[in-house]
């Protein structure tokens, strides 16, 4: 079974600075997806960024980028020019590439990192 | 606007009662999911459904039941057999095989 580990329960960053959130995972599969989701105080889960394991290029979405190290099974999220609206819980998640009826349909989540933005 | 709606936002229930949480989507998504979120933990999968009239147990299905009679709707019933039902419940849906899941706003269930 796959596992996802987020070793930083809480992080803080000064507004306009850059912060990196860590995520490691364990899997025996070679093809999969990795995601970062944001959960603000409203508690709605919002997709931040997605990475396909077969792609070597790191995904970017505006101020958000990832550092995907497949061999090390590491998937960190970098937030540049941090804004007050970035304050939230951030969850790293794993999903198998191919979906079948054998239990690989689900997203496996880490325990989250609470990010605080200091004005 | 397309999206996923969950109702109610807050729900209170007396111990020993069954309660049903609603999840509706107008995104024409094929698959739907129910997750449970507890403090200090990530989301855990309760049930999922890839097509109408079919659903599969997730990691923590005991004490829960679902139905999928329509593509748009995937209600979750929390039964009295669920030992610790107080939690935040999130519904999600997905279009196609390779796409990410989109989440509803969630329902906070409190057992009194």
């Amino acid at each position: 079974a796959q596992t996802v580990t987020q070793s930083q329960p809480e992080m803080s960053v000064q507004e306009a600075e850059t912060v990196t959130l860590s995520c490691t995972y364990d899997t025996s599969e070679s093809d999969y997806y990795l995601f970062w989701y944001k959960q603000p105080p409203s508690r709605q889960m919002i997709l931040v960024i997605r990475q396909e394991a077969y792609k070597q290029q790191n995904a970017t979405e505006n101020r958000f980028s990832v550092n995907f190290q497949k061999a090390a099974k590491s998937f960190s999220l970098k937030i540049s020019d941090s804004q007050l609206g970035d304050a939230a819980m951030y969850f790293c998640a794993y999903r198998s590439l191919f979906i079948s009826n054998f239990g690989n349909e689900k997203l496996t989540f880490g325990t989250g990192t609470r990010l605080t933005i200091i004005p | 606007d397309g999206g996923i709606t969950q109702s109610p936002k807050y729900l209170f229930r007396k111990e020993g009662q069954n309660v049903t949480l609603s999840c509706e989507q107008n995104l024409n998504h094929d698959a739907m999911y129910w997750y449970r979120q507890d403090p200090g933990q990530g989301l855990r999968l309760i049930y999922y459904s890839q097509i109408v009239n079919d659903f599969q147990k997730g990691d923590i299905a005991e004490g829960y039941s679902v139905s999928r009679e329509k593509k748009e709707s995937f209600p979750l019933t929390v039964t009295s057999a669920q030992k610790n039902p107080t939690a935040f419940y999130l519904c999600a849906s997905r279009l196609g095989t390779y796409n990410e899941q989109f989440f509803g706003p969630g329902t906070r269930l409190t057992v009194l």
Side-chain angles (χ1 to χ4, degrees):
Chain A
Q2 295 80 24
T3 59
V4 177
T5 302
Q6 293 179 250
S7 58
Q8 306 156 314
E10 296 184 355
M11 293 277 288
S12 61
V13 63
Q14 206 81 28
E15 194 175 0
E17 297 294 310
T18 296
V19 64
T20 299
L21 308 183
S22 300
C23 173
T24 59
Y25 58 94
D26 188 28
T27 183
S28 59
E29 299 176 328
S30 58
D31 291 315
Y32 46 87
Y33 290 110
L34 294 165
F35 304 90
W36 278 99
Y37 279 90
K38 169 185 177 180
Q39 188 178 41
S42 66
R43 303 200 74 174
Q44 172 112 34
M45 294 286 284
I46 302 165
L47 179 68
V48 174
I49 200 164
R50 176 177 88 174
Q51 175 78 44
E52 292 86 346
Y54 57 84
K55 290 184 178 179
Q56 292 189 345
Q57 187 173 5
N58 289 324
T60 62
E61 285 288 343
N62 300 314
R63 297 183 295 107
F64 298 88
S65 62
V66 299
N67 183 5
F68 173 49
Q69 302 289 329
K70 190 173 184 179
K73 295 180 181 176
S74 171
F75 182 60
S76 61
L77 174 70
K78 186 171 83 170
I79 306 173
S80 303
D81 185 26
S82 298
Q83 300 175 1
L84 294 177
D86 295 333
M89 283 288 288
Y90 286 83
F91 291 94
C92 178
Y94 172 104
R95 205 205 82 183
S96 298
L97 180 64
F98 298 108
I99 293 175
S100 69
N101 286 325
F102 301 107
N104 64 344
E105 167 74 24
K106 69 178 182 181
L107 286 170
T108 300
F109 285 87
T111 53
T113 296
R114 182 175 302 281
L115 178 64
T116 301
I117 311 297
I118 303 167
Chain B
D1 287 335
I4 304 171
T5 57
Q6 291 186 243
S7 61
K9 189 172 179 65
Y10 299 96
L11 189 56
F12 297 89
R13 164 201 124 173
K14 290 184 179 180
E15 210 168 319
Q17 291 180 337
N18 292 355
V19 63
T20 298
L21 282 59
S22 169
C23 178
E24 304 277 333
Q25 54 97 1
N26 60 2
L27 300 167
N28 198 34
H29 285 182
D30 302 302
M32 297 186 74
Y33 310 78
W34 275 105
Y35 290 89
R36 170 181 171 139
Q37 185 177 25
D38 294 284
Q41 298 192 40
L43 280 66
R44 293 181 291 166
L45 183 67
I46 305 172
Y47 268 98
Y48 66 95
S49 168
Q50 295 192 45
I51 56 173
V52 174
N53 292 323
D54 184 61
F55 47 83
Q56 307 292 331
K57 292 182 178 180
D59 296 325
I60 55 167
E62 185 176 351
Y64 299 98
S65 66
V66 293
S67 62
R68 186 87 187 274
E69 297 177 1
K70 300 185 299 181
K71 189 176 184 178
E72 304 79 22
S73 178
F74 191 42
L76 173 75
T77 297
V78 184
T79 75
S80 56
Q82 169 51 234
K83 298 303 180 188
N84 186 20
T86 295
F88 188 64
Y89 291 88
L90 283 155
C91 178
S93 67
R94 173 183 55 78
L95 175 67
T97 303
Y98 301 110
N99 295 322
E100 59 269 15
Q101 295 180 19
F102 292 91
F103 286 82
T107 293
R108 172 69 184 177
L109 172 64
T110 302
V111 175
L112 304 172

